[in-house]
Amino acid sequence: MVLGLVLILVLCVGVVVLFDTGQVVNKKVQLTNASDAAAYSVAAQQARAFNFAAYMNRGRVANEVTIAQTISVYSWMNQMHTTSITMRTAMDVLSAIPYVGVIFKALSAVFKVAEKVFKASRKAYNPVAQASVRVLDELNGAFAMAATSVIEGVARIDGYKTANDVVKANVADAEIGVVGKGVLVAQLFAAESKYLDTFRIPRSGNGGPATGSTQQRAGADRYRNVVMQSRDGFSSDRHETVDLWLIKFTAAGGTDQVEYSRWAAVDTMGLEVNLPWPLDDIDMPLGWGGAQAVPSYRNQRFMPGFANGRGWYSEYDRVRNGPYGDSARKNRWPSRMVDGDANVALDGGQHKKAYFTGYNGLRNYHDVKKGKATDPDGGENAGPIFTVYADTAIANARTSSSTGIGAPAGSRMALQDKAQNNKLAALSSAQVYFNRPPNYDLFRRKKDDKLEMGNLFSPYWQARLVDTPTATKTALLAAGAAGFN
């Protein structure tokens, strides 16, 4: 009986120990799931913030291209209107030639109709273009402000709130302690400073060249390069040639962004008469026109184009492009007419009307720091990491000592709950990373099939759970050993 009583006592103690262990393990699993969910939610929220900024940047690029298209159409109509007038005048003169004059007279009537059509079209289009430029520019300002607000403010506050809410939703009696809050807040603030750059666009107060540091201009040039590379074919190069053996008609034009604060469009039409050697060929200007989107009218020049006529360098293609689709080289003489007459002076057009005001140029923008987010497979360089350290009092595990089902406290048979700082804790980390799948037809870069590095122009930011960095573990361990919760 004595041995039986001892065995029963041992079994009872074993049952209580098994119960306590199960309760602690169950609570630990709940905390681990809660911290995993919270860390992943913070990373997913930050990925959404980066993707939002990417959509805002892409929206601004699309609006810039639309502004370029808007003034391109008006510039082209100006050129076509001038061309119709000069051709109608020439046909009137040639109609005096005996026998064939009737042909030129008929052509004169055709160009007269074209002249009236372009005059009416320009008159109707001008106020629409002006309103469009203002609206699109205001949208760009709103997009820039929204992206900055989300990255610099909302993402930080919402990230911290998200972590707390998810932990509480999974384990009501758990919390992110003082140390855990400090680590997470520091990571939320470091997500921008460590991985993102804010590029500020140089400005000019008098409509001339923008001034700024080399670093500022490099960041602004990068954004302008993205915008210029995104132009449609009509905006970038309106070059066409009709070769009729002895004579050749050449239309040339394009639209460029000049000094980050204005769009300028130039269109020309030239006639080249090929004469036999040793006579020189004859170049005649037939038509010209232009248009600009500017902050305010200051009679900004069209020629020789930005970069003192050298055009712009495409980092993507690694080639230098002449200004306005290289129209000055293709049609030298009519190009020189644009600075004095961009808006069909032959029909009473005012040069000032070729300028659409209210355009404030490129806005400041965020993008990934150079050398960051280059490895989608892993590592701290792939993107910011966020750590959630959730804990709860050991008494919340509902063991025998906390529920009072075991031996009374203070007795020799009492089973005491022992944990560092009387807490149960769980640690989880998640990472924001960029990955544009190169093997899926829906997402891959069809033009070059290259692996795209992390940036804030493409919305391919994602979240994943990762191992907690050693430095973070060490900091938390040291804080726990020092008695901080």
PDB file of all heavy atoms in Angstrom, residues 183 187 194-195 379-380 383-387 427-431 466-476:
ATOM      1  N   VAL A 183      12.244  48.123 -30.980  1.00  0.00           N
ATOM      2  CA  VAL A 183      12.852  47.478 -32.150  1.00  0.00           C
ATOM      3  C   VAL A 183      12.003  47.698 -33.393  1.00  0.00           C
ATOM      4  O   VAL A 183      12.502  48.079 -34.461  1.00  0.00           O
ATOM      5  CB  VAL A 183      13.055  45.971 -31.894  1.00  0.00           C
ATOM      6  CG1 VAL A 183      13.436  45.251 -33.186  1.00  0.00           C
ATOM      7  CG2 VAL A 183      14.120  45.768 -30.831  1.00  0.00           C
ATOM      8  N   GLN A 187      12.827  49.891 -36.811  1.00  0.00           N
ATOM      9  CA  GLN A 187      12.837  49.267 -38.137  1.00  0.00           C
ATOM     10  C   GLN A 187      11.899  49.979 -39.107  1.00  0.00           C
ATOM     11  O   GLN A 187      12.207  50.121 -40.285  1.00  0.00           O
ATOM     12  CB  GLN A 187      12.453  47.790 -38.017  1.00  0.00           C
ATOM     13  CG  GLN A 187      13.500  46.938 -37.323  1.00  0.00           C
ATOM     14  CD  GLN A 187      13.021  45.518 -37.091  1.00  0.00           C
ATOM     15  OE1 GLN A 187      11.827  45.264 -36.934  1.00  0.00           O
ATOM     16  NE2 GLN A 187      13.952  44.578 -37.037  1.00  0.00           N
ATOM     17  N   LYS A 194      17.166  53.693 -44.809  1.00  0.00           N
ATOM     18  CA  LYS A 194      18.182  52.716 -45.203  1.00  0.00           C
ATOM     19  C   LYS A 194      18.008  52.227 -46.640  1.00  0.00           C
ATOM     20  O   LYS A 194      18.991  51.903 -47.316  1.00  0.00           O
ATOM     21  CB  LYS A 194      18.144  51.522 -44.246  1.00  0.00           C
ATOM     22  CG  LYS A 194      19.254  50.506 -44.472  1.00  0.00           C
ATOM     23  CD  LYS A 194      19.199  49.396 -43.428  1.00  0.00           C
ATOM     24  CE  LYS A 194      20.307  48.365 -43.662  1.00  0.00           C
ATOM     25  NZ  LYS A 194      20.265  47.272 -42.663  1.00  0.00           N
ATOM     26  N   TYR A 195      16.777  52.189 -47.118  1.00  0.00           N
ATOM     27  CA  TYR A 195      16.530  51.574 -48.427  1.00  0.00           C
ATOM     28  C   TYR A 195      16.032  52.545 -49.492  1.00  0.00           C
ATOM     29  O   TYR A 195      16.066  52.211 -50.670  1.00  0.00           O
ATOM     30  CB  TYR A 195      15.515  50.427 -48.284  1.00  0.00           C
ATOM     31  CG  TYR A 195      16.046  49.250 -47.519  1.00  0.00           C
ATOM     32  CD1 TYR A 195      15.853  49.147 -46.150  1.00  0.00           C
ATOM     33  CD2 TYR A 195      16.767  48.243 -48.150  1.00  0.00           C
ATOM     34  CE1 TYR A 195      16.352  48.072 -45.429  1.00  0.00           C
ATOM     35  CE2 TYR A 195      17.269  47.168 -47.444  1.00  0.00           C
ATOM     36  CZ  TYR A 195      17.054  47.086 -46.079  1.00  0.00           C
ATOM     37  OH  TYR A 195      17.560  46.017 -45.375  1.00  0.00           O
ATOM     38  N   GLY A 379      18.553  37.652 -47.945  1.00  0.00           N
ATOM     39  CA  GLY A 379      19.552  38.543 -47.393  1.00  0.00           C
ATOM     40  C   GLY A 379      18.942  39.879 -47.010  1.00  0.00           C
ATOM     41  O   GLY A 379      17.916  40.288 -47.542  1.00  0.00           O
ATOM     42  N   GLU A 380      19.598  40.553 -46.059  1.00  0.00           N
ATOM     43  CA  GLU A 380      19.082  41.837 -45.605  1.00  0.00           C
ATOM     44  C   GLU A 380      19.072  42.879 -46.719  1.00  0.00           C
ATOM     45  O   GLU A 380      18.315  43.844 -46.678  1.00  0.00           O
ATOM     46  CB  GLU A 380      19.904  42.331 -44.413  1.00  0.00           C
ATOM     47  CG  GLU A 380      19.720  41.483 -43.153  1.00  0.00           C
ATOM     48  CD  GLU A 380      20.388  42.102 -41.948  1.00  0.00           C
ATOM     49  OE1 GLU A 380      20.168  43.301 -41.697  1.00  0.00           O
ATOM     50  OE2 GLU A 380      21.133  41.390 -41.260  1.00  0.00           O
ATOM     51  N   GLY A 383      15.643  43.799 -48.886  1.00  0.00           N
ATOM     52  CA  GLY A 383      14.604  44.730 -48.478  1.00  0.00           C
ATOM     53  C   GLY A 383      14.534  44.836 -46.976  1.00  0.00           C
ATOM     54  O   GLY A 383      15.183  44.064 -46.246  1.00  0.00           O
ATOM     55  N   PRO A 384      13.756  45.778 -46.453  1.00  0.00           N
ATOM     56  CA  PRO A 384      13.667  45.980 -45.001  1.00  0.00           C
ATOM     57  C   PRO A 384      13.038  44.792 -44.283  1.00  0.00           C
ATOM     58  O   PRO A 384      12.142  44.135 -44.811  1.00  0.00           O
ATOM     59  CB  PRO A 384      12.787  47.237 -44.879  1.00  0.00           C
ATOM     60  CG  PRO A 384      12.047  47.328 -46.163  1.00  0.00           C
ATOM     61  CD  PRO A 384      12.926  46.740 -47.207  1.00  0.00           C
ATOM     62  N   ILE A 385      13.532  44.530 -43.080  1.00  0.00           N
ATOM     63  CA  ILE A 385      13.032  43.436 -42.242  1.00  0.00           C
ATOM     64  C   ILE A 385      12.355  44.034 -41.015  1.00  0.00           C
ATOM     65  O   ILE A 385      12.861  44.985 -40.404  1.00  0.00           O
ATOM     66  CB  ILE A 385      14.175  42.499 -41.828  1.00  0.00           C
ATOM     67  CG1 ILE A 385      14.758  41.787 -43.058  1.00  0.00           C
ATOM     68  CG2 ILE A 385      13.699  41.468 -40.803  1.00  0.00           C
ATOM     69  CD1 ILE A 385      15.951  40.905 -42.765  1.00  0.00           C
ATOM     70  N   PHE A 386      11.215  43.451 -40.644  1.00  0.00           N
ATOM     71  CA  PHE A 386      10.452  43.926 -39.494  1.00  0.00           C
ATOM     72  C   PHE A 386      10.283  42.774 -38.501  1.00  0.00           C
ATOM     73  O   PHE A 386       9.898  41.673 -38.892  1.00  0.00           O
ATOM     74  CB  PHE A 386       9.091  44.462 -39.929  1.00  0.00           C
ATOM     75  CG  PHE A 386       9.195  45.549 -40.964  1.00  0.00           C
ATOM     76  CD1 PHE A 386       9.028  45.260 -42.314  1.00  0.00           C
ATOM     77  CD2 PHE A 386       9.476  46.846 -40.585  1.00  0.00           C
ATOM     78  CE1 PHE A 386       9.141  46.261 -43.259  1.00  0.00           C
ATOM     79  CE2 PHE A 386       9.584  47.859 -41.524  1.00  0.00           C
ATOM     80  CZ  PHE A 386       9.424  47.562 -42.863  1.00  0.00           C
ATOM     81  N   THR A 387      10.575  43.051 -37.236  1.00  0.00           N
ATOM     82  CA  THR A 387      10.551  42.035 -36.195  1.00  0.00           C
ATOM     83  C   THR A 387       9.466  42.346 -35.165  1.00  0.00           C
ATOM     84  O   THR A 387       9.373  43.486 -34.697  1.00  0.00           O
ATOM     85  CB  THR A 387      11.911  41.957 -35.491  1.00  0.00           C
ATOM     86  OG1 THR A 387      12.915  41.636 -36.457  1.00  0.00           O
ATOM     87  CG2 THR A 387      11.894  40.898 -34.400  1.00  0.00           C
ATOM     88  N   LEU A 427       9.281  35.359 -31.039  1.00  0.00           N
ATOM     89  CA  LEU A 427       9.976  36.306 -31.907  1.00  0.00           C
ATOM     90  C   LEU A 427       9.810  35.889 -33.361  1.00  0.00           C
ATOM     91  O   LEU A 427      10.069  34.740 -33.705  1.00  0.00           O
ATOM     92  CB  LEU A 427      11.467  36.331 -31.531  1.00  0.00           C
ATOM     93  CG  LEU A 427      12.395  37.245 -32.330  1.00  0.00           C
ATOM     94  CD1 LEU A 427      12.054  38.698 -32.064  1.00  0.00           C
ATOM     95  CD2 LEU A 427      13.848  36.963 -31.953  1.00  0.00           C
ATOM     96  N   SER A 428       9.358  36.830 -34.227  1.00  0.00           N
ATOM     97  CA  SER A 428       9.191  36.533 -35.652  1.00  0.00           C
ATOM     98  C   SER A 428       9.621  37.740 -36.485  1.00  0.00           C
ATOM     99  O   SER A 428       9.503  38.887 -36.037  1.00  0.00           O
ATOM    100  CB  SER A 428       7.731  36.195 -35.979  1.00  0.00           C
ATOM    101  OG  SER A 428       7.315  35.025 -35.322  1.00  0.00           O
ATOM    102  N   SER A 429      10.108  37.463 -37.687  1.00  0.00           N
ATOM    103  CA  SER A 429      10.536  38.538 -38.585  1.00  0.00           C
ATOM    104  C   SER A 429      10.005  38.279 -39.985  1.00  0.00           C
ATOM    105  O   SER A 429       9.832  37.121 -40.408  1.00  0.00           O
ATOM    106  CB  SER A 429      12.068  38.637 -38.634  1.00  0.00           C
ATOM    107  OG  SER A 429      12.584  39.018 -37.378  1.00  0.00           O
ATOM    108  N   ALA A 430       9.721  39.346 -40.692  1.00  0.00           N
ATOM    109  CA  ALA A 430       9.258  39.265 -42.079  1.00  0.00           C
ATOM    110  C   ALA A 430       9.962  40.342 -42.892  1.00  0.00           C
ATOM    111  O   ALA A 430      10.383  41.378 -42.350  1.00  0.00           O
ATOM    112  CB  ALA A 430       7.739  39.435 -42.161  1.00  0.00           C
ATOM    113  N   GLN A 431      10.078  40.091 -44.182  1.00  0.00           N
ATOM    114  CA  GLN A 431      10.847  40.986 -45.051  1.00  0.00           C
ATOM    115  C   GLN A 431      10.016  41.443 -46.242  1.00  0.00           C
ATOM    116  O   GLN A 431       9.210  40.694 -46.790  1.00  0.00           O
ATOM    117  CB  GLN A 431      12.099  40.264 -45.552  1.00  0.00           C
ATOM    118  CG  GLN A 431      13.024  41.121 -46.410  1.00  0.00           C
ATOM    119  CD  GLN A 431      14.266  40.358 -46.836  1.00  0.00           C
ATOM    120  OE1 GLN A 431      14.180  39.219 -47.297  1.00  0.00           O
ATOM    121  NE2 GLN A 431      15.426  40.975 -46.672  1.00  0.00           N
ATOM    122  N   VAL A 466      11.046  35.535 -42.628  1.00  0.00           N
ATOM    123  CA  VAL A 466      12.479  35.235 -42.723  1.00  0.00           C
ATOM    124  C   VAL A 466      13.032  34.997 -41.325  1.00  0.00           C
ATOM    125  O   VAL A 466      12.377  35.277 -40.312  1.00  0.00           O
ATOM    126  CB  VAL A 466      13.256  36.393 -43.403  1.00  0.00           C
ATOM    127  CG1 VAL A 466      12.831  36.564 -44.848  1.00  0.00           C
ATOM    128  CG2 VAL A 466      13.067  37.691 -42.626  1.00  0.00           C
ATOM    129  N   ASP A 467      14.259  34.486 -41.267  1.00  0.00           N
ATOM    130  CA  ASP A 467      14.940  34.341 -39.986  1.00  0.00           C
ATOM    131  C   ASP A 467      15.251  35.728 -39.422  1.00  0.00           C
ATOM    132  O   ASP A 467      15.620  36.650 -40.157  1.00  0.00           O
ATOM    133  CB  ASP A 467      16.244  33.566 -40.160  1.00  0.00           C
ATOM    134  CG  ASP A 467      15.999  32.101 -40.517  1.00  0.00           C
ATOM    135  OD1 ASP A 467      14.912  31.593 -40.161  1.00  0.00           O
ATOM    136  OD2 ASP A 467      16.878  31.494 -41.160  1.00  0.00           O
ATOM    137  N   THR A 468      15.122  35.846 -38.117  1.00  0.00           N
ATOM    138  CA  THR A 468      15.440  37.116 -37.468  1.00  0.00           C
ATOM    139  C   THR A 468      16.940  37.367 -37.546  1.00  0.00           C
ATOM    140  O   THR A 468      17.746  36.475 -37.249  1.00  0.00           O
ATOM    141  CB  THR A 468      14.989  37.095 -36.000  1.00  0.00           C
ATOM    142  OG1 THR A 468      13.581  36.854 -35.949  1.00  0.00           O
ATOM    143  CG2 THR A 468      15.300  38.409 -35.311  1.00  0.00           C
ATOM    144  N   PRO A 469      17.348  38.561 -37.968  1.00  0.00           N
ATOM    145  CA  PRO A 469      18.783  38.863 -38.047  1.00  0.00           C
ATOM    146  C   PRO A 469      19.468  38.681 -36.695  1.00  0.00           C
ATOM    147  O   PRO A 469      18.885  38.936 -35.631  1.00  0.00           O
ATOM    148  CB  PRO A 469      18.813  40.329 -38.483  1.00  0.00           C
ATOM    149  CG  PRO A 469      17.509  40.548 -39.197  1.00  0.00           C
ATOM    150  CD  PRO A 469      16.530  39.667 -38.489  1.00  0.00           C
ATOM    151  N   THR A 470      20.713  38.240 -36.730  1.00  0.00           N
ATOM    152  CA  THR A 470      21.472  37.978 -35.510  1.00  0.00           C
ATOM    153  C   THR A 470      21.577  39.220 -34.634  1.00  0.00           C
ATOM    154  O   THR A 470      21.494  39.142 -33.395  1.00  0.00           O
ATOM    155  CB  THR A 470      22.883  37.466 -35.861  1.00  0.00           C
ATOM    156  OG1 THR A 470      22.765  36.288 -36.673  1.00  0.00           O
ATOM    157  CG2 THR A 470      23.684  37.143 -34.611  1.00  0.00           C
ATOM    158  N   ALA A 471      21.772  40.374 -35.242  1.00  0.00           N
ATOM    159  CA  ALA A 471      21.915  41.614 -34.481  1.00  0.00           C
ATOM    160  C   ALA A 471      20.641  41.912 -33.691  1.00  0.00           C
ATOM    161  O   ALA A 471      20.710  42.357 -32.530  1.00  0.00           O
ATOM    162  CB  ALA A 471      22.231  42.773 -35.418  1.00  0.00           C
ATOM    163  N   THR A 472      19.487  41.642 -34.289  1.00  0.00           N
ATOM    164  CA  THR A 472      18.219  41.880 -33.593  1.00  0.00           C
ATOM    165  C   THR A 472      18.050  40.901 -32.439  1.00  0.00           C
ATOM    166  O   THR A 472      17.613  41.272 -31.344  1.00  0.00           O
ATOM    167  CB  THR A 472      17.047  41.749 -34.570  1.00  0.00           C
ATOM    168  OG1 THR A 472      17.234  42.653 -35.661  1.00  0.00           O
ATOM    169  CG2 THR A 472      15.726  42.068 -33.896  1.00  0.00           C
ATOM    170  N   LYS A 473      18.391  39.639 -32.665  1.00  0.00           N
ATOM    171  CA  LYS A 473      18.309  38.646 -31.598  1.00  0.00           C
ATOM    172  C   LYS A 473      19.204  39.034 -30.433  1.00  0.00           C
ATOM    173  O   LYS A 473      18.813  38.934 -29.258  1.00  0.00           O
ATOM    174  CB  LYS A 473      18.717  37.271 -32.119  1.00  0.00           C
ATOM    175  CG  LYS A 473      17.734  36.613 -33.068  1.00  0.00           C
ATOM    176  CD  LYS A 473      18.250  35.256 -33.491  1.00  0.00           C
ATOM    177  CE  LYS A 473      17.290  34.555 -34.442  1.00  0.00           C
ATOM    178  NZ  LYS A 473      17.809  33.238 -34.886  1.00  0.00           N
ATOM    179  N   THR A 474      20.424  39.469 -30.730  1.00  0.00           N
ATOM    180  CA  THR A 474      21.372  39.835 -29.684  1.00  0.00           C
ATOM    181  C   THR A 474      20.853  41.001 -28.859  1.00  0.00           C
ATOM    182  O   THR A 474      20.955  41.010 -27.621  1.00  0.00           O
ATOM    183  CB  THR A 474      22.725  40.195 -30.311  1.00  0.00           C
ATOM    184  OG1 THR A 474      23.209  39.085 -31.088  1.00  0.00           O
ATOM    185  CG2 THR A 474      23.741  40.540 -29.240  1.00  0.00           C
ATOM    186  N   ALA A 475      20.272  41.999 -29.552  1.00  0.00           N
ATOM    187  CA  ALA A 475      19.753  43.170 -28.853  1.00  0.00           C
ATOM    188  C   ALA A 475      18.596  42.781 -27.932  1.00  0.00           C
ATOM    189  O   ALA A 475      18.518  43.231 -26.777  1.00  0.00           O
ATOM    190  CB  ALA A 475      19.306  44.227 -29.858  1.00  0.00           C
ATOM    191  N   LEU A 476      17.705  41.920 -28.400  1.00  0.00           N
ATOM    192  CA  LEU A 476      16.571  41.494 -27.586  1.00  0.00           C
ATOM    193  C   LEU A 476      17.025  40.627 -26.410  1.00  0.00           C
ATOM    194  O   LEU A 476      16.489  40.727 -25.301  1.00  0.00           O
ATOM    195  CB  LEU A 476      15.569  40.729 -28.453  1.00  0.00           C
ATOM    196  CG  LEU A 476      14.798  41.576 -29.479  1.00  0.00           C
ATOM    197  CD1 LEU A 476      14.011  40.684 -30.436  1.00  0.00           C
ATOM    198  CD2 LEU A 476      13.846  42.531 -28.761  1.00  0.00           C
TER     199      LEU A 476
END
